[in-house]
C-alpha cells in the first residue's frame, strides 16, 4: 500500500520503517528537517534497537522516503498514519494542537490523493477526540464527508521504546477502531501478515483502551514498588516474593478480576487488605495505592446505592446476597451495605438468594444475623418470582445462574439494576436495564 506517516518521532519512525520492510511504500513527513534528513540518508532519527538497519534497507529498496512538505507526500496515499505528539497541557489535560494542525494539513492533501484515503490516528488521545475534534478538522479542510469520501480510524500504538521494532513484528494484539468498513478494510490490508490477533472495534473503544493499558501498566509499577518497600521494611526479599507472585497465572497474571462488576467482598479480601494497610501504617510507611484500595471499593458500593436511589421508587428487590454465586458466606458481602442503607432509609426491601436458607443461617450464625443483618429474616423469600413481582427496582447482586434470564420476568414499569454484569440483556424485553459500570 502507499502509506504516509506524519510525525517521525519514536512512534512514526518505527512505524515507517517496519511498514516499509513489510513491502509497503512509505513517505514520512515531519516538521523537523533533521528527522527528515536522517531518513533520507538512511539513518535513524532516534536511538532504537534494529531501527537504523530497517531504515537503511528500506531506503535502499526505494520503499521509504521523507519530506517536510506534506503536499508532496499525499498523492496516491491510501493510508495516512498520524503519529505526532499529544503532550500534557500545563493542567495535565491532553493537548491536541499538534494533531489538529497535522490533520488540517493532511485534509488539504486528501483531495489530491486521487484515491480513497483513510486517515488513521496513532497518537494517544482521549475518547471522543477523533470523532469530536479531528474528524471535523479533516472535513473542514477537505470539504468532504468522513466515512463516505475518505476514511477515519484510530489505531492505538502499543510499542515500548527500546524494543519497539520487536514489539511491532511480535505484536500480540493490533486494535483497529473504525466507524466505516472501508477504513477497517484498509487497516486489515496494512497489517496483513503481521502475527497476533487483529481486533476491530469502535473508535472510542480503541481510544480508551490505550489509556486503560497505560493506567494499568503504571498501576502495576507502583503496586510492585509498594510491595517492595513493605518487604524491605519487613526484611523480606521483594524479588523473591514477586518472582513467586508472577508464577500464579490463574489469579495474579490473568484475566481474572479484570472485568468491571460489583465491589469485592467476602471473608478474605476486605480483612487482608485492611491488615496489610495497617501493618504499613504501623511501620510508618506510606503506600498510597494500597491505602486507596478500601476507599475505591467503598466508592463503588456508594455508586450502587446512588444508582438504585436515582429511580425514586420505594420497593426494591435484591437478588443475591452472598459476595459471589454458589456460596452462602455472607461475611462482608458488599450488597449487605447497600441493603442496610436502603432499609435504614425506609425502602421496602425484599431479598432472594438460592444459597441462603433462613433456618440454616439462623442455626449456624444466629448471632451474626441478629447483630449484623436484623432485617434479613422477615425480608428473605425463597421464591424469586415473588421478589421480582413485588419490586419496582430489581437489583441483581450476584451472578447466580438463575438470575441470568431474570429480565424475562420484568414488567414494563420495572427497572433492572445489574451490579454484576450477569444478566442476559436479551432477556430484558420489558422495563429498563441499567448496569453499574457498563
Ligand atoms: N513513544 C512511545 O513509546 C509511544 C508509544 C505509544 C504511543 N505513543 C503516542 O504516540 C504519539 C507520538 O509519540 P512520540 O513519542 O513518537 O512523539 P515524538 O515527540 O517523538 O514525535 C512527534 C513528531 O511529530 C512531529 N510533528 C509535530 N507536528 C507535526 C506536524 N504538524 N506535521 C508533521 N510532523 C509533526 C514532531 O516534529 C515530532 O518529530 C503520542 O501521542 C504518544 O503519546 C508514544
Amino acid at each position: 500500500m502507499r502509506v504516509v506517516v506524519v510525525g517521525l518521532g519514536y512512534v512514526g519512525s518505527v512505524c515507517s520503517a517496519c511498514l516499509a520492510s513489510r513491502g509497503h511504500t512509505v513517505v514520512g513527513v515531519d516538521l523537523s528537517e533533521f528527522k527528515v534528513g536522517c531518513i533520507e540518508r538512511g539513518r535513524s532519527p532516534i536511538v532504537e534497537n534494529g531501527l537504523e538497519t530497517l531504515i537503511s534497507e528500506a531506503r535502499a529498496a526505494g520503499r521509504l522516503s521523507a519530506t517536510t512538505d506534506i503536499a508532496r507526500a499525499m498523492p496516491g496515499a491510501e493510508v495516512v498514519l498520524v503519529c505526532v505528539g499529544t503532550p500534557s497541557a500545563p493542567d495535565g489535560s491532553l493537548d491536541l494542537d499538534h494533531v489538529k494542525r497535522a490533520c488540517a494539513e493532511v485534509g488539504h492533501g486528501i483531495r489530491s490523493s486521487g484515491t480513497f484515503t483513510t486517515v488513521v490516528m496513532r497518537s494517544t488521545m482521549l475518547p471522543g477526540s477523533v470523532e469530536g475534534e479531528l474528524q471535523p478538522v479533516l472535513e473542514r479542510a477537505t470539504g468532504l464527508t468522513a466515512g463516505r469520501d475518505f476514511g477515519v480510524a484510530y489505531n492505538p500504538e502499543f510499542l515500548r521504546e527500546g524494543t519497539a521494532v520487536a514489539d511491532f513484528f511480535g505484536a500480540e494484539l493490533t486494535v483497529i477502531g473504525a466507524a466505516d468498513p472501508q477504513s477497517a478494510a484498509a487497516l486489515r490490508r496494512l497489517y496483513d501478515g503481521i502475527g497476533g490477533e487483529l481486533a476491530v472495534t469502535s473508535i472510542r473503544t480503541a481510544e480508551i483502551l490505550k489509556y486503560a493499558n497505560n493506567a494499568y501498566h503504571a498501576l502495576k509499577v507502583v503496586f510492585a514498588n509498594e510491595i517492595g518497600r513493605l518487604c524491605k521494611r519487613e526484611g523480606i526479599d521483594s524479588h523473591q516474593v514477586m518472582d513467586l507472585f508472577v508464577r500464579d497465572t490463574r489469579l495474579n497474571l490473568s484475566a481474572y478480576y479484570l472485568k468491571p462488576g460489583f465491589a469485592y467482598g467476602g471473608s478474605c479480601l476486605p480483612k487482608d487488605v485492611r491488615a496489610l494497610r495497617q501493618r504499613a501504617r504501623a511501620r510508618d510507611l506510606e503506600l498510597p495505592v494500597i491505602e486507596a484500595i478500601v476507599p475505591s471499593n467503598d466508592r463503588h458500593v456508594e455508586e450502587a446505592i446512588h444508582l438504585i436511589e436515582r429511580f425514586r421508587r420505594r420497593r426494591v428487590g435484591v437478588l443475591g446476597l452472598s459476595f459471589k454465586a454458589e456460596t452462602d458466606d455472607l461475611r462482608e458481602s458488599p450488597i449487605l451495605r447497600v441493603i442496610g442503607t436502603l432499609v435504614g432509609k425506609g425502602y421496602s426491601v425484599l431479598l432472594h438468594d438460592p444459597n441462603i436458607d433462613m433456618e440454616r443461617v439462623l442455626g449456624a450464625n444466629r448471632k451474626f444475623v441478629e447483630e449484623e443483618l436484623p432485617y434479613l429474616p422477615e425480608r428473605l423469600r425463597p421464591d424469586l418470582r415473588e421478589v421480582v413481582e413485588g419490586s419496582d427496582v430489581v437489583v441483581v447482586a450476584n451472578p447466580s445462574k438463575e438470575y441470568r434470564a431474570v429480565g424475562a420476568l420484568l414488567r414494563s414499569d420495572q427497572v433492572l439494576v445489574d451490579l454484576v454484569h450477569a444478566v442476559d440483556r436479551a432477556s430484558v424485553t420489558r422495563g429498563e436495564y441499567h448496569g453499574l459500570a457498563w
Side-chain angles (χ1 to χ4, degrees), residues 7 9-11 30 35 83-84 86 105 123-124 157 161 210:
Y10 286 86
V11 169
D30 204 292
K35 290 182 182 173
C83 305
V84 305
T86 48
E105 288 160 5
S123 306
T124 301
E157 173 58 72
E161 289 175 14
K210 176 68 192 170

Side-chain angles (χ1 to χ4, degrees), residues 71-399:
R72 282 185 46 206
M74 287 300 292
E78 295 166 86
V79 174
V80 178
L81 301 175
V82 178
C83 305
V84 305
T86 48
S88 280
D91 66 353
S93 63
L94 181 71
D95 178 354
L96 281 180
D97 286 355
H98 298 285
V99 198
K100 283 185 181 159
R101 193 172 147 201
C103 283
E105 288 160 5
V106 169
H108 289 127
I110 279 185
R111 275 185 177 278
S112 64
S113 75
T115 181
F116 186 89
T117 305
T118 299
V119 185
V120 185
M121 311 305 160
R122 301 226 65 196
S123 306
T124 301
M125 55 189 76
L126 290 163
S129 303
V130 172
E131 287 161 306
E133 304 207 42
L134 303 175
Q135 189 172 307
V137 170
L138 286 162
E139 289 185 325
R140 264 198 305 278
T142 52
L144 301 171
T145 303
R148 189 189 68 190
D149 307 318
F150 66 95
V152 175
Y154 183 70
N155 172 214
E157 173 58 72
F158 298 141
L159 63 78
R160 295 163 299 168
E161 289 175 14
T163 53
V165 171
D167 285 351
F168 185 94
F169 291 113
E172 255 181 66
L173 178 65
T174 300
V175 175
I176 295 172
D180 65 278
Q182 283 210 72
S183 301
L187 278 163
R188 277 187 192 282
R189 273 182 64 209
L190 185 72
Y191 289 120
D192 189 33
I194 291 213
E197 189 190 337
L198 191 139
V200 179
T201 184
S202 72
I203 291 177
R204 288 166 61 83
T205 301
E207 287 173 320
I208 193 106
L209 178 68
K210 176 68 192 170
Y211 286 92
N213 284 2
N214 276 356
Y216 185 53
H217 300 165
L219 180 65
K220 283 171 79 169
V221 171
V222 297
F223 174 76
N225 287 340
E226 287 193 4
I227 295 291
R229 296 208 296 279
L230 182 58
C231 286
K232 183 174 164 71
R233 188 63 65 92
E234 298 286 339
I236 299 166
D237 180 343
S238 63
H239 275 252
Q240 229 173 55
V241 172
M242 294 313 273
D243 281 344
L244 292 169
F245 177 96
V246 298
R247 276 157 64 179
D248 177 349
T249 53
R250 197 163 55 98
L251 297 186
N252 292 355
L253 301 193
S254 72
Y256 205 75
Y257 294 130
L258 281 175
K259 298 286 171 60
F262 196 31
Y264 68 76
S267 58
C268 295
L269 299 191
K271 90 178 164 60
D272 297 348
V273 170
R274 279 196 302 266
L276 191 68
R277 182 180 70 168
Q278 218 39 49
R279 171 59 71 89
R281 287 177 183 173
R283 297 272 188 267
D284 216 9
L285 257 182
E286 257 187 68
L287 304 181
V289 162
I290 286 170
E291 278 284 341
I293 295 173
V294 172
S296 177
N297 202 51
D298 288 347
R299 188 65 198 79
H300 206 55
V301 175
E302 282 164 26
E303 196 61 34
I305 296 168
H306 291 158
L307 178 58
I308 295 163
E309 291 195 301
R310 210 176 79 191
F311 304 105
R312 304 196 176 283
R313 314 276 285 275
R314 302 311 296 174
R315 298 181 311 159
V316 178
V318 178
L319 312 182
L321 302 181
S322 51
F323 74 104
K324 62 179 169 185
E326 324 304 342
T327 172
D328 65 351
D329 192 352
L330 291 177
R331 284 174 296 176
E332 300 218 37
S333 175
I335 193 63
L336 299 180
R337 284 163 55 198
V338 176
I339 297 168
T341 304
L342 296 175
V343 169
K345 287 184 171 185
Y347 283 79
S348 154
V349 182
L350 288 179
L351 309 171
H352 178 267
D353 190 309
N355 295 305
I356 307 222
D357 167 347
M358 214 51 249
E359 279 177 20
R360 273 178 54 193
V361 171
L362 285 177
N365 277 316
R366 176 176 288 278
K367 196 163 168 292
F368 171 67
V369 171
E370 280 172 357
E371 284 175 6
E372 305 284 332
L373 317 170
Y375 53 79
L376 192 59
E378 55 173 309
R379 290 181 166 81
L380 191 66
R381 300 284 185 278
D383 182 5
L384 172 61
R385 279 175 185 275
E386 183 190 340
V387 174
V388 173
E389 273 167 26
S391 307
D392 305 313
V393 179
V394 177
V395 180
V396 176
N398 83 23

